[in-house]
Amino acid sequence: MLDDDDMSHGPSRTIHRRGYQKKVNRQLSLKANALVDTESALESIILIAADLDPRVCRVYPQPCTFELNTGESFPTQKALNDAVGGSDYKPWKYTPDFLFELVDGSRIFVEGKHTRLIEKDPDFRKVPVAMVALGHRHTVVTERFFSRAFERNLRTLKTAPRGYLNDDQRAWLLDDCPSCLTFREIEGLGFDRNSVHAAIRDGYLCAPLERAPFNDQTVLSPTGGDTSYLEVLPL
């Protein structure tokens, strides 16, 4: 099993290098404690979702490279290439996009892959099977998991200012908030839009994240500090 020392080297492979024309997305991840280079908008939204999901406590981007024929893991792709260098052996290389450490102490490898790319590479379907056979938890998240409204709302919550709610607002949300009200109604009670977003992110209010982008008529309900509605990833 991988330990923290196995992943102290940083990402297992370099996404962008000079002379290699490939788009790089950069996404700040608080749980990775870093600005993370990703290969797609899908990987970026997975990172955003991980930062919001209360089950995830630590994110390791591209934590290692596996040789799936043997199950051996290497800190980098170069280390794997060096290990088999000079031989005719062709390794089955796989570098997961992320490793998530969960609050219950378990770990799960997460791959963000567009369905179009899966269809173009049918051999990829063997990768999750191989990972599970080797004793690893593994999940593949495609773009179909994130509706446009869902993605937009997650991005909105991610950018909500930290520590925006004051003590009086928190007390009102815990003790006096009606069981149902809209964005427009709560803003009429002295909450601006940023404070509503912060209340949703911090576990004081829940809203339907997947139906439509947040708007004046979005329905809110108090949650008393329970953030389980932010368990937004298929873990």
Side-chain angles (χ1 to χ4, degrees):
M1 186 67 181
L2 295 171
D3 58 32
D4 290 344
D5 289 339
D6 293 324
M7 294 170 290
S8 62
H9 51 78
S12 180
R13 65 188 177 92
T14 301
I15 291 176
H16 178 73
R17 61 181 182 272
R18 186 174 299 175
Y20 184 54
Q21 299 302 315
K22 191 168 191 176
K23 183 179 179 181
V24 176
N25 297 272
R26 291 198 161 177
Q27 176 63 50
L28 177 64
S29 170
L30 296 178
K31 292 179 180 178
N33 195 29
L35 190 64
V36 178
D37 288 348
T38 63
E39 293 179 292
S40 66
L42 174 59
E43 290 179 25
S44 293
I45 193 62
I46 290 172
L47 273 176
I48 289 171
D51 266 3
L52 294 168
D53 195 311
R55 296 169 296 174
V56 180
C57 62
R58 187 78 171 92
V59 173
Y60 298 93
Q62 299 189 356
C64 62
T65 293
F66 285 99
E67 207 288 86
L68 292 179
N69 289 320
T70 64
E72 190 174 0
S73 64
F74 296 82
T76 63
Q77 280 197 4
K78 183 179 183 302
L80 170 53
N81 292 336
D82 290 345
V84 299
S87 71
D88 294 330
Y89 177 71
K90 185 176 182 180
W92 184 9
K93 294 184 287 187
Y94 171 58
T95 302
D97 288 329
F98 308 107
L99 175 62
F100 291 167
E101 183 176 329
L102 308 184
V103 293
D104 65 5
S106 64
R107 288 176 168 181
I108 181 170
F109 291 98
V110 178
E111 182 75 20
K113 203 169 187 69
H114 199 285
T115 50
R116 174 178 53 83
L117 298 178
I118 295 175
E119 291 166 0
K120 287 177 62 177
D121 181 17
D123 286 344
F124 174 77
R125 300 177 190 274
K126 301 175 185 177
V127 169
V129 177
M131 288 291 286
V132 172
L134 291 170
H136 303 293
R137 289 179 63 189
H138 185 277
T139 188
V140 179
V141 182
T142 74
E143 82 289 350
R144 292 177 180 171
F145 182 76
F146 296 101
S147 67
R148 183 171 298 181
F150 193 19
E151 179 175 344
R152 178 172 170 180
N153 290 338
L154 292 178
R155 290 185 182 276
T156 296
L157 296 180
K158 165 71 175 178
T159 57
R162 298 273 158 183
Y164 199 85
L165 295 172
N166 61 44
D167 290 341
D168 289 341
Q169 288 174 321
R170 291 189 182 92
W172 184 87
L173 289 166
L174 289 172
D175 301 328
D176 300 312
C177 182
S179 60
C180 181
L181 73 170
T182 65
F183 264 66
R184 178 177 292 175
E185 289 168 339
I186 197 171
E187 287 176 337
L189 296 172
F191 287 77
D192 63 19
R193 192 60 57 104
N194 277 333
S195 62
V196 177
H197 294 157
I200 297 171
R201 186 201 58 222
D202 293 346
Y204 295 97
L205 293 170
C206 68
L209 299 178
E210 300 183 36
R211 295 181 190 172
F214 295 145
N215 59 68
D216 287 348
Q217 299 306 314
T218 297
V219 176
L220 304 164
S221 301
T223 55
D226 179 5
T227 58
S228 60
Y229 60 89
L230 290 175
E231 294 178 359
V232 293
L233 286 166
L235 306 179

